[in-house]
Amino acid sequence: MAPTASLFEYVASKLDEPPLTPEELEFMAEHEKVTIVPNFTLNLPNSMLTCIEGTYGPFRPNIPVEVPMYLALALNRRNKCRIQPPAWMAREKLKAVLDEERTIPQYFQPVPQYYVETAKMLFAEARAIFGTNAEVNEIMDLVEELKKVRNSKILDGLRKVSGPITVKLNNLSASESNKIRLLFENSLNMWHQLAKNNKEWQEIQMTGTMDTPATL
Amino acid sequence: MAPPKIKDVHLKLQTGHGAGQTSVAYANTPKEISLVTSGADGRVYLRDALILEPQGSCKVDTPPATILAVDPKGKYVAVGDDSYVKLYKLPSLTPERSACRFNLTLRALSFSPCGTKLAAAGDDNLIKLVEVKDGSVYRTLNSDDYVLSLAWDPDSTYLAATLRTGGLVVYDTGSGKLEKRVDAQCERVDYSSLRRHAPSWHPDGGSVLAVPVGAEGDVALHERLSWEATGYLSGEHRKAVNIVAFSPNGVYAATAGQDKRIVVWDVNSVTAVAAATADEVMSGLVWRPDGNELAMVGESGGVGVWSGVVPKEMPGPAVSAAELERLQREQERLADLRKRGKEAEREAAGLGADLVPPEGGEIREEVIEEMEVEAAAAAAGAAGAGEEGAKAAVADGGEGEGEDGLEGGSGRGGSGGLGHSGVNGRPATRTQTTTRTIVRTVVAPPAGPAPQPAFQPGATAAEPGRPRFLCYNMVGSVSSRPVDDHHVVEVLFHDSSRFSSRVPLLTDYYGFDKAALGDKGVVYASPAVKADPAEVAAAAAEGAPPPAGVPALVMFRPFDPWAPNSDWTATLAEGEEALCLATGSTFVAVATSRQLLRLFTLGGAQQAVLRLEGQPVALVAAGGQLAVAWHSGPPNPHTKSQALSLSLYDTLALVCVFSQPLPLSPGATLTWLGFSEDTGVPAAADSSGVVCVRTPDFGGRWVPVFEPPAARRASEVLWPVGLSSEQLYAIVCKPAEPRPQVSPRPFYTPMDLCPPVLALDGGAGAAAEWEAKALLEAVKLSVLRARLEAAEMSGQVEEASDLRHLKNQGEAKHDAALLKAFQKFVRAERHGRALEVAAMLNMCKSLSGAVAVANHHQARGLAERIAVVLEQKQAIIAANEAMAAGVDAYAHQHQHQQHHQAAAAEQHHHVAAGEHQAAPAGRSYTPIPFARRGGGVESAASELGQGGEGAAAAGRGTQPLGPADLNAGAADGAGGADRGGLTPFADVVTAPGSTGLSTGPKSGRGLPTPNTLLQAATAKPDPGSDSHKRKQPTAFNNPFARKAAKLGK
């Protein structure tokens, strides 16, 4: 097999069609927990709210409670709660992560699994929780920057994968791994295939029988 | 700040020059003292020092004549104009010679005190030092910026200059070296400013340099050589100070500021002694060298003299140092004489000459000098002094006594560290003797803390320019945000489902600094604003009535008024300030500085005006209840604790439910006051973070239910907002910022309450947690029982049944906690303690559970004893139920029949109350049918047993703790209020042996106390005496036994 296009070139063409759609990812991200401060009392036993996938609460005015994102956003739309910005979205925290991300090329910084989706949803629906417009824009910029830096890191890493090198892809978030999923799936399959053939070929070499032609 | 507010004198200046920088100086000519003034019109006048009539004049070549200086000998006046410094001869004002030349306008001139040198500076960035003799510039100092003023120190060594940028520089004129430079000392001004920022040296050799500082009108006193600011003259001017001038003897300093005020300060005490206002900002200000007068020129060209500046009773501003010393000695001598007179009096009274140290204080004695004196002189002095002393003693007799009294209490009053000091000279008795001067200082005990000021629970301190909470409680928050010249007050609710209406923003021009948020409305109060003293002075000068200040206001805004115009505003009387506010569901309460408690209805009708027993500290309201914390005395100087009391008012029933001391942690102040959200008991938090609630048990005592966890005490500060019977709701703040900020909106964090119980040894430490829980439940339960009792007594059937339900729930929780502790004790082989815990259990079910747990752990002895307790309990409950049946019947029967019914029930069940006689007690109710149910009536019955005393107490209506003490739902308070003398204390019921059931003290609730039950359970077994003990042990046939065992695990 002649050396074909590098992995990077291969993935570049595939980046636009990930196996999971962003909408699906967002749906999953809606199950991430956020802290809200409700401003209502729930007239239910123990003021707990039972949903299909879990029971949340107790909802008591001005006392923070952890709920999934979809619930938080639904309540927020009705002005029934204040969403607390997640800790990782604090300005200082983001700046620190971004700095680390830039200075250490070998590793990815640990970020929440659905950070892209969470940030997108919060910016779209609950901008006010981050403070004034200027503050929101700053945090948006930081998240955007973080995304870019990580993305370029992924591409950089893949560019280098042209031989038998292990690539460390710890701490990739959902949307990022989604981007390279297709590539990895296919290439791993391919490698598997090759390895299998290799084994067969070796066996053939060792036994010395050439009856069966190598199948690919 | 200054003790008496000084009345401003109004000064009227006469026109002397054109508008612009002007200058003035006294010229000490051989003939007389005259004034020399110069102004923007370029003219220099020699004026009479009193009537200011010009006696001579000249005109400079290049006006304006901005500055002049007179040489110390009074021979020349140096005048600075647009480019020259010229010397003019005095008094003829004939031009002598030109001293130096500048490119830009001159601003500052100063003769050295020796008179040989002249410093000049202006917009040229240069300070030129000129030899006066020949007019040669012998040194040029570069100041890097426009110079506003120069001042030569009295030793002619240093030269101080103030710069346009606000800096202060000090040069050593001998070497030309820069000695000190302080940047941004004064306000920075622009190039065309008329400011002078004139500094001044203290005349005693320049030990102190006074320089205007900042834009707020302060003056810094810099120490010579170190050039550090060692003191400030502050608190009088509202705008920057333009000129400082020390009086000729240095006792006083005069300052003139941009606020058109002139203030004269006593430099030693740093207090203002006189003040005046003029119509213009002063551009020049000088003291008359030999009199009590200030000459001034203004920026509009006015010229004036202020005579009699320093009040007569004080030493004059020009009095020589020797004279001052003499005055000082005179005063000391008088004080000494007075003291000696007093001592003599004491000796005569046989009290001894020694001073009596105040409690906790001491007397320090110090010999400061010993010297040989001529006896004759000393004797003469003593004789003279003796006469005067006698007089002084007579005159001061009464006063002296008063002082003595005060001395003892001075420490407690917190007036100061030093009680009294005096010089005590012993008169000579023999020729050629030794005189000792002994200084005795009475050192007062460490002063107690000051009484804490009134506060609003849930308010944060005002910080300039930042929003703050006026009130933050479990209902919502009231925040005030400064905007331009007013504030915007916003009300937000935590629970928007309960309060649907949005409260519109309030634009506040009154400066509301207190607010209280209730569930029906919000009440605001603003402080009284005094009229501007300058305006008052101006009005007085014009003969107009003085402008009135704005009195204190109280404003109430209901949330959902059904009627229009439901807002109301009340103006407090002059001199009355609203110190604390509160609003409940039915009323608004305001505690004022006149020690009044004003109660309004929500609509604004004045329900009551009550005198408070002490200065109010805080108010808090819930429903119809109002708690008032007030100072019951000065703070304890030893424990440093505030002496506070708490009164609880029921505004519906118009009763004071209780009034009791409010104990705090040692050394702490009250920081929060509130009511428990569910049980409604008063709660208080102090500055050490401990939260207490008041339990109705023990006659109403405070239980510490929360202490900040030690592990997290360093990293967070809890700011309490509310409390339930199980949790504290607090905002978690950082120690650096111990108050919550308005933005982002804070939320409260629930924290489990935990009384400070101890973990006992022997592996039973784990039980402490459950014991703490049980204690909390016990508090809640006692509140519920008390309320239930009150409801039953006032015949509120529905509420009683609700409460009974709650009580049963509470008992179950209490038992659950106790059983956990019980199990831990059993496991740790502490059977004695376990039995005692079991005896505290409320329900039979729990007891049989305890039996099962004991059996499970192979503790047979324990199980048997608990079974005994259980049996007794069951028997008692059976008796009570029968009694209850009787009472139910009573509820349907006529009053007369009721006696028989009850009596029948009594006889039938052979219970203790049968021993009682329904003796007439001066009150009409009959205690018997209630005796098994209501502790209150039972106690009344016991009072009957004790004879007429209790009955008399009831008859008098003295109610140390009426039913409303139970913090019951307020509505029934009225009904309960007239039943006096009902104490919820446990009391002795019957003589031992009168029944087969209970022998011993019973709790106030009609149930046997754990101790009673224990007596029987721990007694030596005597199976023959009681027939019912023959029954099979309950544990084995009780259906709950097994279940409870599981619970125990």
Side-chain angles (χ1 to χ4, degrees), chain A residues 37-41 60-64 82 84, chain B residues 472 494-497 727 729 745-748 750:
Chain A
V37 180
N39 59 2
F40 62 96
T41 333
R60 287 175 293 176
N62 211 27
I63 295 176
R82 311 197 300 274
Q84 295 298 111
Chain B
Y472 192 101
H494 300 321
D495 188 350
S496 57
S497 54
Q727 284 178 318
Y729 303 107
R745 266 175 83 187
F747 50 83
Y748 34 77

Side-chain angles (χ1 to χ4, degrees), chain A residues 59-190:
Chain A
F59 292 92
R60 287 175 293 176
N62 211 27
I63 295 176
V65 59
E66 270 209 344
V67 295
M69 181 70 98
Y70 70 87
L71 193 52
L73 291 177
L75 288 173
N76 192 53
R77 266 172 232 140
R78 287 163 182 75
N79 272 330
K80 290 289 186 196
C81 75
R82 311 197 300 274
I83 301 177
Q84 295 298 111
W88 64 270
M89 281 182 96
R91 207 165 56 101
E92 280 66 37
K93 204 79 176 243
L94 273 177
K95 271 189 175 161
V97 168
L98 189 57
D99 259 17
E100 296 278 287
E101 196 79 69
R102 277 191 179 130
T103 49
I104 310 174
Q106 295 91 342
Y107 303 108
F108 289 95
Q109 293 302 313
V111 287
Q113 173 83 354
Y114 292 102
Y115 84 96
V116 179
E117 293 79 10
T118 309
K120 182 180 167 264
M121 284 189 278
L122 287 181
F123 288 140
E125 299 217 29
R127 280 175 70 93
I129 65 170
F130 297 103
T132 61
N133 252 351
E135 285 163 355
V136 182
N137 287 338
E138 196 180 350
I139 292 174
M140 278 171 95
D141 287 350
L142 284 171
V143 173
E144 203 57 38
E145 194 68 29
L146 185 65
K147 252 159 62 179
K148 275 187 195 158
V149 172
R150 288 172 71 97
N151 205 28
S152 71
K153 245 187 196 179
I154 296 170
L155 294 182
D156 266 1
L158 292 180
R159 201 172 273 137
K160 283 174 194 151
V161 182
S162 43
I165 309 163
T166 42
V167 199
K168 243 196 177 147
L169 288 173
N170 288 346
N171 295 333
L172 271 199
S173 79
S175 67
E176 287 157 354
S177 46
N178 193 31
K179 277 181 190 167
I180 56 169
R181 177 167 289 130
L182 196 62
L183 159 75
F184 270 63
E185 225 178 282
N186 289 339
S187 44
L188 285 175
N189 279 343
M190 181 60 79

Side-chain angles (χ1 to χ4, degrees), chain B residues 517-521 556 582-589 602 621-626:
Chain B
L517 182 63
D519 47 2
K520 289 288 156 53
F556 180 72
T583 171
S585 315
T586 53
F587 69 96
V588 174
L602 292 186
Q625 294 190 94
L626 172 70

Side-chain angles (χ1 to χ4, degrees), chain B residues 29-47:
Chain B
T29 53
K31 219 165 67 200
E32 53 175 355
I33 291 183
S34 313
L35 266 182
V36 194
T37 63
S38 68
D41 50 1
R43 300 202 76 88
V44 181
Y45 287 105
L46 182 72
R47 295 168 188 270

